[in-house]
Each structure stands twice: as C-alpha cells, then as structure tokens.
Amino acid sequence: GNSVTQMEGPVTLSEEAFLTINCTYTATGYPSLFWYVQYPGEGLQLLLKATKADDKGSNKGFEATYRKETTSFHLEKGSVQVSDSAVYFCALPYSGGGADGLTFGKGTHLIIQP
Amino acid sequence: DAGVIQSPRHEVTEMGQEVTLRCKPISGHNSLFWYRQTMMRGLELLIYFNNNVPIDDSGMPEDRFSAKMPNASFSTLKIQPSEPRDSAVYFCASSLEGQGDTEAFFGQGTRLTVV
C-alpha cells in the first residue's frame, strides 16, 4: 500500500516566521494528497488537498504543491501565527481506490511562540 | 450538521473490563473508519466500513477488538477484555465514498485509559 513520511517535530518558530513541513510519499499511481491539522483536544480536520500532479492546495495562508518528480507535498506558510500551533499530518489513500481510508504520517507538532 | 459524534469523550476503566466506544457518522456518508492514535505509533487505521459492511479489519490489533455497524447512523468499537496497552485516543471518521479525493471528517475522539 501507499505510505507517507513527514518530518518529526516538535518544530518551534517565532510568530511571523516562514514555515516548511516536509512530506514525501510512496504510492502506486498518482493519488490525491492531503494535509490535516489537529488542534489540542480535537479530531483531525482537513487543511488542504491536491488531486493531481502540479496542483497547489491552499487554505488559511497554508500552501502545498503536488510534486510527482520528487514525490513530495511540503506544507508552507509565509508568516505563522500563534493560533497555528497544532499537529499537522500529511496523508494519502491507502491504495488506489481511495475508499479504504487514508494513511497518515506520524504528525509534526508545531509550536509558535509570540 | 453536527459532524461526527463520538461518545464517551473520556473513558477510564480497569484492566480486564469491557469497553464500548460509540460513533455516529455524518448523515449521508457511506464510509466509516475507526483509527487509534498513540504517541509511539501515530494514527493507525483499525477497520473501515462501506455501506455498513466491514471491508477491511486487518488493522484490528487482536481478537479482543471488534467493531459493528448495525445501521448507517451508528457504529461501535468494543474491546474485551481491555489491557493497559490499549490506552490511546480512538477516532471515528466518515466520508462519502469517492475516487480517492474525498475528505474524511473526524470526530473529537475518545480518550481511553486502561489502568
């Protein structure tokens, strides 16, 4: 099945710093790619997604570009805020069908200091 | 819509006891997933249902774990007997079956502590 590897945290940054969280994947074909975010005490929620190569997903100032040549989907934000402190998960379908659930990276804990 | 609803939010039980976790998916969704989250192993898919039918339970760790979905609006995950290593946060998620680009909606999770 498909798999994903993301950088481990915690990542600690100051407010307004530039953020990159690396994610690489191994997959059959070209599945959709996702970033989910988990705020303290809550479940995961979709942050952004990209459904095909070279697509850029974006939401709340975050962006990620589907790079098939490097099998990567790195998450970026130009200026982080304290409210961005959370755990971020890169994900893709377990297999090509997509209806069988997502496989997630281990998660990257992001801490933004004022 | 209220989203995916899980109960209880927290459960503390003694080793050997039976534990039942409950989930109500979003109305109209036809896929339901149970995940377990621990610090050591991250998020693991335990089992998923499609149209109330269990499709793949290969992620269920042992025979002590079982899951049911008697109808489209309710699912349970049962652990019997429970052990301390089962302590984790258990998430239920639901989605509309798609072509691999479908968003999964997560509940707030049940934090299980087995002492």
Side-chain angles (χ1 to χ4, degrees):
Chain A
N2 300 335
S3 65
V4 59
T5 302
Q6 65 179 102
M7 61 189 292
E8 305 215 1
V11 173
T12 303
L13 296 173
S14 298
E15 204 165 23
E16 299 183 3
F18 183 85
L19 168 71
T20 300
I21 300 178
N22 291 336
C23 170
T24 57
Y25 65 90
T26 302
T28 302
Y30 302 103
S32 295
L33 303 175
F34 304 82
W35 277 101
Y36 278 76
V37 59
Q38 184 180 28
Y39 298 103
E42 298 185 10
L44 281 71
Q45 53 186 276
L46 180 67
L47 178 61
L48 55 83
K49 69 179 183 184
T51 58
K52 60 183 187 294
D54 299 325
D55 259 6
K56 177 185 286 187
S58 61
N59 186 26
K60 298 181 181 179
F62 290 88
E63 294 182 338
T65 301
Y66 191 157
R67 303 276 189 207
K68 69 176 182 179
E69 61 277 5
T70 54
T71 61
S72 64
F73 192 54
H74 304 323
L75 182 68
E76 297 181 335
K77 186 172 185 181
S79 176
V80 292
Q81 305 300 312
V82 172
S83 57
D84 294 326
S85 298
V87 182
Y88 292 81
F89 295 87
C90 187
L92 74 167
Y94 266 95
S95 63
D100 56 354
L102 299 174
T103 183
F104 291 86
K106 288 289 182 71
T108 301
H109 187 191
L110 176 65
I111 301 169
I112 307 300
Q113 297 176 332
Chain B
D1 197 313
V4 175
I5 300 173
Q6 292 186 244
S7 64
R9 288 294 309 277
H10 302 274
E11 176 80 34
V12 180
T13 191
E14 293 185 345
M15 182 174 63
Q17 296 298 305
E18 177 180 296
V19 175
T20 299
L21 312 182
R22 298 173 177 79
C23 175
K24 176 178 168 55
I26 292 174
S27 177
H29 284 185
N30 59 0
S31 291
L32 183 140
F33 311 90
W34 281 101
Y35 287 90
R36 179 172 67 176
Q37 184 179 38
T38 60
M39 289 293 291
M40 290 296 293
R41 303 167 75 97
L43 267 168
E44 303 172 280
L45 178 65
L46 300 178
I47 185 172
Y48 75 94
F49 295 83
N50 184 251
N51 293 323
N52 312 337
V53 176
I55 303 301
D56 186 353
D57 65 354
S58 59
M60 297 284 260
E62 301 173 33
D63 290 344
R64 298 183 296 106
F65 286 70
S66 61
K68 294 182 180 179
M69 193 166 185
N71 57 61
S73 59
F74 185 64
S75 177
T76 59
L77 177 68
K78 183 180 294 186
I79 308 173
Q80 166 62 18
S82 58
E83 296 182 3
R85 60 193 168 122
D86 301 331
S87 297
V89 181
Y90 291 81
F91 287 103
C92 175
S94 71
S95 71
L96 267 176
E97 180 182 322
Q99 301 304 314
D101 62 351
T102 305
E103 177 181 357
F105 293 80
F106 282 74
Q108 291 189 297
T110 295
R111 181 174 295 276
L112 173 65
T113 303
V114 183
V115 298

